[in-house]
């Protein structure tokens, strides 16, 4: 299915728009569900497809990204697909080298150490030249989905990308990156602004290529307290939503729903509710009722089953899903995990999760 480069025109008609309708605040018969990292190592077919390829080489192959994106949809009746890619393609577009080290994860060969290092970054990025392979993957996948479900595009948010670029990889404290916020606030804002500008063009380009929704991942929000978040994360999160929307209008592109997922940022839910996104994603550390109280009725919520719940027996997964649906309510709600699937999870348990969301939400809606 994933061959032939196609143009972003004449896309097949969408058959299941439940996810998009809920994102826009419309009522539906069942609660839509998808999973973060649904295209991932927990699927044997994913491991097989990825086996011979370097990780970022896979990201640069539209054909492989398309195949990996479609794999979970062949198994499960998910209500959305999310393009297979990585948030670190943006730092690569700025000229940084990132390699995937087995057992360690993504690693920057030369992380940013001093403020002067910012000069090494590309100050003007032509996203089509640098990230066109993601756009091609989106267009190809959108055709190959044959209108089955909507396709989500995504990007990392500025603070999360900045933290990787300075830490050089994952970190339990983010102390190097946070020290920049305290020691070099102006340089930090320069870097965050540069990232935001690239992300805006990148997200608009994804919609032009065929993405029907967008998710912004502020995965490292939990390392910031309320004040640092207010100064160094939130303004850029707001700005990205606003600028993407005005550019989509200017370019006569569809105004797609946008999701903000700021992991562990429960201190900022009220602000995120007013940041310009149709959907706020939640991690598993937040009580559904509290989230609903803070966020209000005009924003759709997404989340937030503890991914580790999928290690439970299938019947237990069903019970947990039922409880989650009762807590969130079945409308203005997209079911998901509170973070991504883990590599050692049983695909059958993922299927049990997806089916439980559909069955229980239909039942609750009928009664």
């Amino acid at each position: 299915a994933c061959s032939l480069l196609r143009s972003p025109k004449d896309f097949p008609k969408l058959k299941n728009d439940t996810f998009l309708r809920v994102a826009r605040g419309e009522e539906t018969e069942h609660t839509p569900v998808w999973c973060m990292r649904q295209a991932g190592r927990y699927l044997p077919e994913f491991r097989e497809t990825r086996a011979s390829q370097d990780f970022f080489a896979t990201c640069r192959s539209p054909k492989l990204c398309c195949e990996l994106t479609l794999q979970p949809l062949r198994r499960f009746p998910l209500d959305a697909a999310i393009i297979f890619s990585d948030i670190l393609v943006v730092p690569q577009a700025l000229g940084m080298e990132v390699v995937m080290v087995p057992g360690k994860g993504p690693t920057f060969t030369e992380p940013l150490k001093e403020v002067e290092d910012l000069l090494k970054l590309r100050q003007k990025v032509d996203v089509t030249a640098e990230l066109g392979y993601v756009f091609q993957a989106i267009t190809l996948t959108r055709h190959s989905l044959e209108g089955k479900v909507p396709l989500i595009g995504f990007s990392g948010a500025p603070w999360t990308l900045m933290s990787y670029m300075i830490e050089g990889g994952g970190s339990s404290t983010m102390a190097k990156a946070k020290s920049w916020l305290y020691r070099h606030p102006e340089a930090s804002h320069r870097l965050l602004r540069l990232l935001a500008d690239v992300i805006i063009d990148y997200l608009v380009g994804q919609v032009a290529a065929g993405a029907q929704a967008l998710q912004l991942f502020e995965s490292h929000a939990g390392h910031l307290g309320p004040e640092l978040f207010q100064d160094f994360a939130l303004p850029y999160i707001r700005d990205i939503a606003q600028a993407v929307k005005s550019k989509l209008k200017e370019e006569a592109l569809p105004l797609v729903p946008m999701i903000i997922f700021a992991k562990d940022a429960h201190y900022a839910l009220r602000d995120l509710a007013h940041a310009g996104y149709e959907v706020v994603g939640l991690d598993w550390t937040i009580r559904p009722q509290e989230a609903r109280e803070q966020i209000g009725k005009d924003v759709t919520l997404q989340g937030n089953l503890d991914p580790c719940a999928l290690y439970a027996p299938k019947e237990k997964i069903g019970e947990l899903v039922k409880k989650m649906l009762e807590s969130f309510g079945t409308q203005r709600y997209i079911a998901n995990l509170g973070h991504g699937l883990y590599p050692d999870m049983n695909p059958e348990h993922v299927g049990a999760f997806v089916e439980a969301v559909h069955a229980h939400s239909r039942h609750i809606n009928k009664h």
Side-chain angles (χ1 to χ4, degrees):
C2 300
S3 58
L4 303 175
L5 284 177
R6 309 265 190 81
S7 76
K9 284 192 226 9
D10 317 320
F11 285 127
K13 191 174 170 338
L14 186 58
K15 298 178 191 122
N16 171 4
D17 63 351
T18 316
F19 164 81
L20 294 179
R21 282 172 38 222
V22 171
R24 292 193 294 259
E26 297 169 25
E27 284 210 0
T28 56
E29 282 170 24
H30 73 266
T31 297
V33 55
W34 66 280
C35 298
M36 290 186 267
R37 287 202 216 119
Q38 63 191 26
R41 288 174 293 172
Y42 74 102
L43 291 176
E45 58 269 37
F46 178 96
R47 295 195 297 271
E48 210 171 296
T49 308
R50 277 266 306 103
S52 58
Q53 280 278 8
D54 164 72
F55 178 81
F56 286 107
T58 304
C59 290
R60 285 189 287 274
S61 160
K63 206 170 153 179
L64 285 176
C65 289
C66 173
E67 166 59 25
L68 294 170
T69 303
L70 295 181
Q71 284 176 350
L73 295 159
R74 294 190 190 121
R75 279 187 185 248
F76 316 119
L78 294 152
D79 294 288
I82 183 164
I83 193 68
F84 176 80
S85 185
D86 194 87
I87 63 172
L88 298 180
V89 299
V90 170
Q92 288 177 334
L94 287 167
M96 294 188 81
E97 193 188 357
V98 192
V99 292
M100 194 57 82
V101 178
K104 188 183 167 200
T107 307
F108 285 75
T109 50
E110 290 180 45
L112 303 173
K113 290 195 170 73
E114 307 301 330
V115 171
E116 297 77 62
D117 293 340
L118 294 181
L119 299 172
K120 295 179 191 165
L121 300 174
R122 278 193 192 104
Q123 303 305 308
K124 269 272 165 269
V125 175
D126 174 345
V127 292
T128 310
E130 299 300 330
L131 296 165
Y133 59 87
V134 179
F135 302 157
Q136 288 172 5
I138 287 172
T139 302
L140 184 58
T141 305
R142 177 84 189 270
H143 281 292
S144 305
L145 273 167
E146 296 170 340
K148 199 176 189 174
V149 294
L151 180 61
I152 304 169
F154 71 91
S155 174
W159 155 250
T160 294
L161 295 178
M162 170 183 172
S163 61
Y164 272 115
M165 290 159 76
I166 293 171
E167 296 290 341
S171 154
S172 58
T173 60
M174 295 293 158
K176 287 180 193 157
K178 284 176 75 176
S179 81
W180 272 54
L181 305 180
Y182 286 109
R183 290 180 9 229
H184 314 302
E186 291 83 6
S188 296
H189 280 298
R190 274 212 312 279
L191 174 54
L192 291 162
R193 181 73 260 159
L194 176 63
L195 283 162
D197 289 342
V198 176
I199 290 163
I200 290 160
D201 289 344
Y202 180 43
L203 290 174
V204 171
Q206 291 186 46
V207 176
Q212 290 153 291
L214 297 168
Q215 178 154 313
L216 189 68
F217 284 86
E218 188 70 280
S219 312
H220 295 167
H223 291 280
L224 302 177
E227 283 170 15
L228 288 180
F229 187 83
Q230 200 76 36
D231 289 347
F232 294 99
L234 188 63
Y236 299 98
I237 288 171
R238 277 199 193 114
D239 189 47
I240 287 166
Q242 206 185 335
V244 166
K245 287 175 182 184
S246 69
K247 286 200 174 197
L248 291 174
K249 274 198 190 116
E250 268 167 44
E251 298 181 25
L253 289 164
L255 276 180
V256 303
M258 295 178 72
I259 307 164
I260 176 67
F261 176 62
K263 188 170 179 294
D264 298 323
H266 14 86
Y267 53 79
L269 288 183
R270 278 193 168 76
D271 288 325
L272 291 168
H274 299 106
Y277 293 77
E278 286 68 28
V279 183
V280 173
L282 304 166
D283 61 70
W284 70 90
T285 63
I286 301 164
R287 287 193 179 86
Q289 296 94 327
E290 283 176 27
R292 188 63 84 183
E293 275 159 32
Q294 291 190 49
I295 288 170
K297 300 244 182 324
D298 301 330
V299 177
T300 296
L301 300 181
Q302 175 177 282
N304 75 342
L305 192 72
D306 180 353
C308 290
L310 297 189
Y311 293 124
K314 288 186 201 169
E315 313 72 67
K316 178 73 176 160
I317 293 171
E319 287 164 33
L320 292 166
V321 165
K322 181 169 179 273
K323 198 174 150 197
M324 180 170 81
L325 286 162
E326 287 166 351
S327 303
F328 276 110
T330 54
Q331 301 297 336
R332 269 228 174 246
Y333 170 57
I334 296 161
N336 204 317
L337 303 172
H339 201 219
L341 289 159
Y342 301 152
D344 64 345
M345 286 179 164
N346 181 341
E348 283 182 23
H349 288 222
V350 177
F353 167 65
V354 173
E355 276 151 34
V357 171
H358 288 159
H360 288 297
S361 62
R362 281 202 172 94
H363 183 80
I364 293 169
N365 287 341
K366 273 203 187 100
H367 299 86

